Amino acid sequence: MKPEPLLRRGWTTGACATAAAKAAYAALLTGHFPDPVEITLPGGQNTAFTLAESALSETAAMASVVKDAGDDPDVTHGALLRVTLRIGPPGSGVSFHAGEGVGTVTRPGLAIPPGEPAINPVPRQMIRTAIAELAAQHCAPGDAIVEISIPGGEALATRTLNGRLGITGGLSILGTTGIVIPFSCSAWIHSIHRGIDVARAGGITHVAGSTGNVSETAVRALHHLPEAALLEMGDFVGGMLKYLKSHPVPRVTIAGGVAKMTKLAQGRLDLHSKRGEVDFPGLAAAAQTAGCAPEIIEPIRHANTAAQVFELASAHGTALGDAIAAQAWRVAAAVLEDSPTELEILLFDRTGTLQGRAGFAPVHMRKRLV
């Protein structure tokens, strides 16, 4: 078998902004833009970036870098990270401003407080370090006003979770290593965790993790939840639950389609199809235990999809969804262990119709409910 090709890594928005800021500050100090410009990543690696734009005036320097996300399907791949840098007042240090397409934080619970531009701590430190190194080389004070822009960033941000996290007006400048690892699940799980942080900081006592748009719309309508209470869990139910265990919320709903919730009931905490399909013989056994008519047990065992199974069960008047929800509740409650949390499981079909429910119950009662 031919081995799969290695995926090419890319650079975070934070690394690109650091390169542009360093080039702009160097131009203010020397009159020339280094191109390519080399920066040091948090892990100590050095890498160089080619400038896409540069402009120098008496009071400001502008430099930009095009983000290369490698083989990662990042919405910011190809975006222009533009930094306009001015010398700041004596003793002011380095200050950050959001230009076009860079968001502003409006809710507590994130690493950056409300009112600040959505430039995360590590990119801020990378930029400060780059400016300090140049200032030391040229005997300059190191006071700088850094404005970061991403043309078109506000439109791109609609394809991210920024709106739900309370980041308005554009994208975030992100990155903890400076490197984008292709197709990494970590960014999605990170977004789930930050969503939980924002909900807790906002005093929200009931959050709902959903596997997709249909289940999210349905659970929001059912419980009349605010947007900040909605967690786009996707396939990462385990990543969400493990974080909720140490960062508890009083009430948690897990909502999803019948297939993904069946996989949860069968013990899977990563619901992606690559991690495994529905166990149809196991589903047939569960259907038999739930009292499904004997004549449909074999068709369930050999079904093509979970949706087909639930249609069969519904046609024969069996509440299979409730049985699957109850088992999914036990699996999820075991991850939360003794957290001070009440847990609920909801199963929806493709139309958003409720197909099964395990109502709120304290997770510490799971041993009694097994």
Side-chain angles (χ1 to χ4, degrees):
M1 180 181 294
K2 187 177 178 180
E4 293 185 7
L6 293 175
L7 296 175
R8 189 170 60 87
R9 295 187 172 193
W11 311 110
T12 63
T13 48
C16 296
T18 299
K22 184 174 181 179
Y25 188 58
L28 280 179
L29 296 180
T30 69
H32 301 284
F33 290 90
D35 189 8
V37 56
E38 186 175 278
I39 65 169
T40 301
L41 301 177
Q45 313 97 312
N46 291 327
T47 189
F49 294 81
T50 300
L51 299 183
E53 299 174 325
S54 60
L56 180 63
S57 70
E58 291 184 2
T59 59
M62 181 278 291
S64 67
V65 169
V66 175
K67 177 175 172 177
D68 178 3
D71 289 325
D72 191 73
D74 192 316
V75 299
T76 59
H77 178 69
L80 190 72
L81 275 292
R82 180 183 290 154
V83 173
T84 301
L85 197 145
R86 299 174 177 83
I87 300 299
S92 62
V94 178
S95 62
F96 295 91
H97 299 267
E100 175 195 356
V102 171
T104 298
V105 177
T106 65
R107 295 178 188 160
L110 298 175
I112 301 299
E116 282 287 310
I119 304 168
N120 271 21
V122 171
R124 288 179 184 233
Q125 188 55 48
M126 290 171 66
I127 292 171
R128 288 192 186 101
T129 299
I131 288 174
E133 290 173 353
L134 285 172
Q137 291 172 17
H138 297 279
C139 299
D143 302 308
I145 301 168
V146 179
E147 179 184 291
I148 304 177
S149 303
I150 306 176
E154 188 167 6
L156 289 174
T158 62
R159 297 160 57 190
T160 73
L161 298 177
N162 273 16
R164 181 160 298 169
L165 296 175
I167 298 171
T168 62
L171 293 160
S172 301
I173 306 300
L174 301 172
T176 55
T177 65
I179 301 170
V180 173
I181 299 174
F183 299 96
S184 172
C185 299
S186 61
W188 194 320
I189 294 173
H190 176 84
S191 295
I192 296 170
H193 294 177
R194 299 295 75 78
I196 293 168
D197 292 343
V198 167
R200 282 164 48 90
I204 290 172
T205 58
H206 179 192
V207 298
S210 303
T211 58
N213 290 334
V214 171
S215 55
E216 180 180 280
T217 300
V219 71
R220 184 177 193 180
L222 179 66
H223 287 304
H224 307 289
L225 294 172
E227 185 177 49
L230 304 174
L231 306 173
E232 194 171 332
M233 174 186 72
D235 294 319
F236 304 110
V237 62
M240 182 186 75
L241 290 171
K242 290 171 186 175
Y243 195 75
L244 283 166
K245 176 185 173 184
S246 55
H247 301 77
V249 175
R251 283 195 154 194
V252 174
T253 296
I254 297 175
V258 293
K260 291 187 183 294
M261 292 297 96
T262 297
K263 286 196 276 187
L264 175 61
Q266 293 175 342
R268 300 185 188 279
L269 296 176
D270 184 337
L271 307 179
H272 196 281
S273 58
K274 290 182 179 179
R275 304 292 184 265
E277 298 293 341
V278 170
D279 174 6
F280 286 99
L283 187 51
Q288 190 168 19
T289 301
C292 276
E295 63 267 24
I296 67 168
I297 299 302
E298 278 305 303
I300 289 175
R301 190 185 308 276
H302 300 288
N304 291 322
T305 66
Q308 180 185 1
V309 170
F310 280 82
E311 288 169 5
L312 281 168
S314 178
H316 286 76
T318 303
L320 178 59
D322 290 343
I324 296 301
Q327 181 56 34
W329 188 98
R330 290 188 282 269
V331 172
V335 180
L336 291 171
E337 291 190 330
D338 296 322
S339 300
T341 297
E342 291 185 341
L343 175 66
E344 174 189 53
I345 303 289
L346 301 175
L347 277 69
F348 295 99
D349 65 18
R350 294 190 185 96
T351 69
T353 301
L354 186 65
Q355 295 292 324
R357 185 174 194 169
F360 286 108
V363 297
H364 66 78
M365 294 180 62
R366 70 189 189 284
K367 293 178 182 177
R368 301 183 202 172
L369 298 174
V370 172

